[in-house]
Amino acid sequence: MDDKLALPVGTTLDRFIMRKQEEFPFATGELSQLLRDIALATKIVNREINRAGLIGVTGNYGQQNVQGEEQQKLDVIANIRFIRALRNGGEVCTIISEEEDEVIQTGNAKGKYIVAMDPLDGSSNIDVNVAIGTIFSIYRRMSEVEGDGTLEDCLQSGAKQVAAGYIIYGSSTMLVYTTGCGVNGFTYEPSLGEFFLSHPMIRTPKEGNLYSCNEGNINSFPDGIKAYIHYCQEKNYSGRYIGSLVADFHRNLLKGGVYLYPPTAKSPDGKLRLVYECNALAMIIEQAGGKATDGSERILDKTPTSLHQRCPLVIGSPDMVDKVEEFLAKEAVAV
Ligand code: P6P
């Protein structure tokens, strides 16, 4: 895709959004405003993450989410902040969140958009100061622009996303997103309260030597995955696994590599959620020249059947994803 208006590093996010909107003559500005609403919530969540140890918001919240996972206090705070920003922004009619059993109807009857999000991914790392992230997908509602969004609006395939992105709260805080015309990364400058374009038109390397998976589960991995990991070790690749999807994904996106969360004994359908984790990252990686499958099927082609459904994930450099699928196919034939 041609980037008609190549904008210089240092362009503010707001100016970038505005200039990109100018490239779409029929754009009415609602998606632009929605992206700004997400950026606003991100600044607030970033501040709370950075002060977590000082304001007593580390540790468990004392409840489990629909996944049966212990909610961290910051999970709950991030969820509230993003829901509030999207509700007040007016562009979103319905929200799907990892932290909410059911969809959230914002009351924005004229809202044209649906947002699916993991407000704070990798939360088990919060208390040990390891990078964590937010993941979001944006869809246009299919139902009439009136009243609440429908379940059908919320279960669209990933290929229908109009935008997708993530925020990584790491050594620096970055917002990385795509609207289908390439992937751009913005670095947050807290002293100015602004995001600035720092990684224009990100392309992921075709090949890499990093593989990311929790090898503690290796005994219950499919044979093809075991064979692929052995192949990586034979090739002297490096195992890099932070245990925070956004951090592992971001490193592999920039340097080349593959992240794998295959079926395990504990998570027979994989651990990651299709609607608000896999789909967004799959759109981003494809826009950056990479691939994302469940081991055989393209993630973006999968049609969700439930809000919190899980799916296996193989995502990253295209040649590495192909190699994983080759091993899985070979083992399938051998069975
Ligand atoms: P495991 C965090 O809970 C998460 O959803 C991802 O961020 C991360 O990649 C994965 O789970 C880690 O799971 O089973 O290896 O601890």
Side-chain angles (χ1 to χ4, degrees):
M1 66 289 308
D2 296 332
D3 180 25
K4 298 189 199 70
L5 290 171
L7 294 170
V9 168
T11 301
T12 64
L13 174 64
D14 202 54
R15 181 170 177 74
F16 182 91
I17 291 171
M18 188 181 64
R19 293 290 293 274
K20 288 299 172 186
Q21 181 184 320
E22 289 163 5
E23 289 177 25
F24 294 91
F26 304 108
T28 54
E30 284 133 324
L31 178 60
S32 296
Q33 189 49 47
L34 170 42
L35 291 167
R36 291 188 188 96
D37 295 338
I38 289 174
L40 172 62
T42 296
K43 294 176 185 176
I44 296 168
V45 170
N46 181 68
R47 183 189 61 194
E48 277 153 359
I49 288 170
N50 289 346
R51 299 188 305 164
L54 301 173
I55 57 177
V57 293
T58 56
N60 288 351
Y61 178 64
Q63 284 181 3
Q64 292 188 344
N65 61 19
V66 66
Q67 337 279 339
E69 295 162 344
E70 277 304 319
Q71 286 183 307
Q72 303 296 300
K73 289 175 189 166
L74 274 171
D75 280 326
V76 175
I77 290 171
N79 189 46
I80 290 168
R81 292 297 189 184
F82 279 102
I83 289 172
R84 191 178 297 168
L86 295 172
R87 176 180 284 129
N88 295 345
E91 310 303 348
V92 173
C93 61
T94 305
I95 301 166
I96 305 106
S97 169
E98 175 178 322
E99 303 306 331
E100 301 288 342
D101 300 5
E102 305 301 331
V103 301
I104 298 281
Q105 300 292 358
T106 63
N108 297 320
K110 299 292 185 191
K112 290 181 182 171
Y113 294 100
I114 307 285
V115 168
M117 65 177 183
D118 183 353
L120 205 56
D121 178 77
S123 49
S124 58
N125 289 307
I126 292 172
D127 293 0
V128 294
N129 215 6
V130 167
I132 49 183
T134 296
I135 306 170
F136 65 89
S137 290
I138 302 173
Y139 296 86
R140 197 168 287 103
R141 72 189 295 178
M142 298 191 300
S143 57
E144 189 192 346
V145 183
E146 185 55 59
D148 291 346
T150 64
L151 187 59
E152 191 190 10
D153 285 331
C154 298
L155 294 179
Q156 299 180 59
S157 75
K160 298 281 189 61
Q161 292 173 97
V162 295
Y166 61 87
I167 295 96
I168 178 167
Y169 309 95
S171 49
S172 67
T173 293
M174 279 189 69
L175 167 64
V176 178
Y177 81 91
T178 180
T179 55
C181 300
V183 179
N184 290 280
F186 299 80
T187 297
Y188 185 53
E189 172 46 77
S191 66
L192 299 175
E194 278 284 4
F195 280 99
F196 293 91
L197 180 64
S198 53
H199 297 67
M201 293 304 281
I202 297 172
R203 301 293 293 169
T204 199
K206 213 162 153 322
E207 179 70 74
N209 63 6
L210 301 176
Y211 69 100
S212 307
C213 71
N214 183 343
E215 295 188 51
N217 297 323
I218 195 158
N219 291 335
S220 63
F221 282 169
D223 289 343
I225 297 292
K226 290 178 186 172
Y228 178 71
I229 289 171
H230 181 67
Y231 166 83
C232 290
Q233 290 160 349
E234 292 292 302
K235 299 274 283 185
N236 293 316
Y237 287 177
S238 295
R240 287 286 184 277
Y241 191 67
I242 299 170
S244 191
L245 172 59
V246 170
D248 283 313
F249 176 86
H250 184 71
R251 180 204 50 244
N252 293 351
L253 172 72
L254 298 183
K255 292 184 175 293
V258 64
Y259 173 101
L260 312 112
Y261 209 106
T264 66
K266 188 179 166 205
S267 307
D269 295 322
K271 177 181 181 184
L272 302 172
R273 275 58 56 133
L274 175 60
V275 172
Y276 42 79
E277 289 173 325
C278 299
N279 274 337
L281 299 183
M283 181 178 184
I284 291 167
I285 201 70
E286 289 198 1
Q287 283 288 315
K291 279 191 169 183
T293 79
D294 64 3
S296 57
E297 183 182 5
R298 181 180 177 240
I299 291 288
L300 295 183
D301 288 339
K302 297 171 77 76
T303 300
T305 52
S306 67
L307 295 174
H308 301 286
Q309 81 181 67
R310 299 173 190 271
C311 81
L313 181 64
V314 180
I315 188 167
S317 295
D319 291 2
M320 299 181 83
V321 173
D322 287 345
K323 184 58 82 175
V324 176
E325 293 197 335
E326 194 183 300
F327 276 96
L328 284 167
K330 205 184 299 177
E331 292 297 329
V333 168
V335 169

